Amino acid sequence: MDSSRQLLQAENLTKRYVVKSSLFKKEYFQALSEVSFSVEKNQIVGLVGESGSGKSTVGKIILNLIKADSGKVYLLGKDITNNLSKEDRKKISIIFQDPRTSLNPRFKIKDILEEPLIVHKYPKSDRKDSVLKTIKSVGLDETFLDRYPHELSGGQRQRVAIARAIILDPILVVADEPTSALDVSVQLQIIQLIKQLKEEKGISFIFISHDLNIVGHIADYIVVLYKGKIVEKGNKEEVIKNPLHPYTKLLLESLPPSHPKYRKPFVNVKEDINTYEGCEFIGNGKIK
Ligand SMILES: Nc1ncnc2c1ncn2[C@@H]1O[C@H](COP(=O)(O)OP(=O)(O)OP(=O)(O)O)[C@@H](O)[C@H]1O
Ligand SMILES: [Mg+2]
């Protein structure tokens, strides 16, 4: 890969959570094993896998919200593992699944948007302009600024969450299931907005979802996680049209028939068993 296009590299991220702890013994759950992938400038990387596969854990490690046990995260070539400076924190942000809980209900929208600017000590004169410009860039107008989150629809609230995530002009946004709590029609609008922000502002995204159908709509590059391990990664076209791993095939088979161009005839997921010796998904020659 052309190194001048590299924005973020995750290298061999490994994470165990302590699930039980007593005086003499700790029990662990292996949430991630040696997860490596890169994000290029102006690229949407879809991180897909079923519930519990470790997607949010990857996002939280990148944002330094939790620590990895081992592995490294590089932003523009700089090691930011467990050590994100205030300046670098401006460059990456996160959008969560449910804007009802991620937006403070006691703040007006203008205060929600201004908060990161205050934290990063932007002069008062610039803050108002920046709030106005940003609310417009997510497709809302200034009349929303004096409202509270509960006075907005789910889709509008998620637009505000996106506005807050981009107000400091980040270069990368981790969007953790940003459309899962929304109706299908609203999901598509939010996907359009994210694509538009990539095109117009050059922001890269890590788009986390359990739904390969949605990821196929939005991502340029796809990383498939299964039980904390990457089972497949590649450009969108390659992964969707010619999935190599049986788990990816299974995810594709569960797509609704509304996307015939991406649907493949039924594939026997056991066919490639020999190629995937030691794979968690396949086990000892048996699909688990
Ligand atoms: N703080 C924690 N302590 C113990 N186990 C945890 C903790 N956080 C996550 N886990 C476990 O680690 C695994 C991966 O969790 P993670 O939240 O990364 O999954 P996910 O792929 O984001 O799932 P979902 O699609 O449901 O959001 C899960 O089995 C989860 O129960
Ligand atoms: Mg999650």
Side-chain angles (χ1 to χ4, degrees), residues 51-52 54-57 60 97 176-177 208:
S51 180
K55 306 178 298 295
S56 296
T57 302
K60 287 178 192 161
Q97 174 172 351
D176 192 352
E177 304 259 11
I208 295 177

Side-chain angles (χ1 to χ4, degrees), residues 11-284:
E11 273 181 19
N12 303 322
L13 298 181
T14 296
K15 175 75 185 173
R16 290 190 308 176
Y17 289 111
V18 179
V19 284
K20 214 169 161 193
S21 183
S22 67
L23 197 54
F24 304 106
K25 202 170 154 218
K26 274 187 178 164
E27 281 177 29
Y28 295 95
F29 175 78
Q30 188 77 33
L32 292 182
S33 307
E34 307 280 326
V35 167
S36 302
F37 66 96
S38 300
V39 183
E40 290 185 18
K41 290 174 186 164
N42 206 21
Q43 186 184 48
I44 300 180
V45 171
L47 187 56
V48 66
E50 64 196 20
S51 180
S53 56
K55 306 178 298 295
S56 296
T57 302
V58 171
K60 287 178 192 161
I61 290 173
I62 290 171
L63 266 295
N64 279 219
L65 300 174
I66 57 171
K67 284 187 174 182
D69 297 328
S70 61
K72 293 278 182 197
V73 181
Y74 297 94
L75 185 67
L76 295 172
K78 181 178 166 190
D79 185 352
I80 58 159
T81 330
N82 306 328
N83 180 27
L84 193 62
S85 66
K86 200 171 173 191
E87 215 32 52
D88 286 333
R89 189 164 286 286
K90 277 167 63 180
K91 296 184 187 145
I92 47 179
S93 61
I94 188 158
I95 306 165
F96 292 103
Q97 174 172 351
D98 191 350
R100 263 175 313 188
T101 48
S102 65
L103 301 178
N104 188 331
R106 289 189 297 272
F107 278 20
K108 286 187 173 175
I109 304 306
K110 63 181 176 194
D111 302 320
I112 289 171
L113 295 184
E114 196 181 8
E115 198 189 10
L117 299 167
I118 295 173
V119 170
H120 286 275
K121 299 194 167 59
Y122 281 57
K124 199 167 184 188
S125 52
D126 294 353
R127 296 204 299 255
K128 209 174 161 204
D129 277 358
S130 187
V131 165
L132 201 59
K133 202 177 82 197
T134 311
I135 194 86
K136 286 184 180 161
S137 72
V138 298
L140 300 174
D141 62 41
E142 62 261 46
T143 60
F144 285 90
L145 293 174
D146 274 315
R147 297 203 206 168
Y148 289 94
H150 75 269
E151 296 171 326
L152 270 58
S153 71
Q156 289 163 346
R157 273 196 293 262
Q158 199 56 302
R159 285 176 191 270
V160 171
I162 293 172
R164 187 182 53 183
I166 63 167
I167 199 157
L168 297 173
D169 282 325
I171 51 179
L172 175 71
V173 175
V174 176
D176 192 352
E177 304 259 11
T179 61
S180 304
L182 305 173
D183 283 354
V184 176
S185 60
V186 186
Q187 283 184 0
L188 289 175
Q189 292 170 15
I190 296 294
I191 282 172
Q192 269 320 110
L193 174 62
I194 289 176
K195 278 185 173 174
Q196 187 188 329
L197 292 170
K198 178 198 117 171
E199 298 299 333
E200 291 175 3
K201 295 182 183 286
I203 302 173
S204 293
F205 287 84
I206 296 177
F207 187 93
I208 295 177
S209 176
H210 59 275
D211 188 337
L212 192 51
N213 183 15
I214 291 181
V215 169
H217 267 96
I218 190 168
D220 304 302
Y221 190 90
I222 296 179
V223 177
V224 185
L225 265 186
Y226 180 73
K227 291 195 176 175
K229 289 184 183 150
I230 293 182
V231 291
E232 180 156 7
K233 58 186 173 182
N235 290 327
K236 190 252 298 275
E237 288 74 21
E238 291 164 22
V239 173
I240 299 279
K241 293 203 178 123
N242 187 25
L244 298 176
H245 194 278
Y247 180 62
T248 318
K249 291 178 186 173
L250 203 64
L251 285 179
L252 275 169
E253 278 160 21
S254 52
L255 290 185
S258 55
H259 297 281
K261 76 170 178 177
Y262 288 145
R263 279 184 69 81
K264 306 205 74 146
F266 182 78
V267 191
N268 182 355
V269 290
K270 292 182 185 174
E271 67 188 6
D272 296 327
I273 278 168
N274 293 336
T275 326
Y276 299 100
E277 210 175 308
C279 171
E280 271 284 320
F281 179 67
I282 295 167
N284 305 322

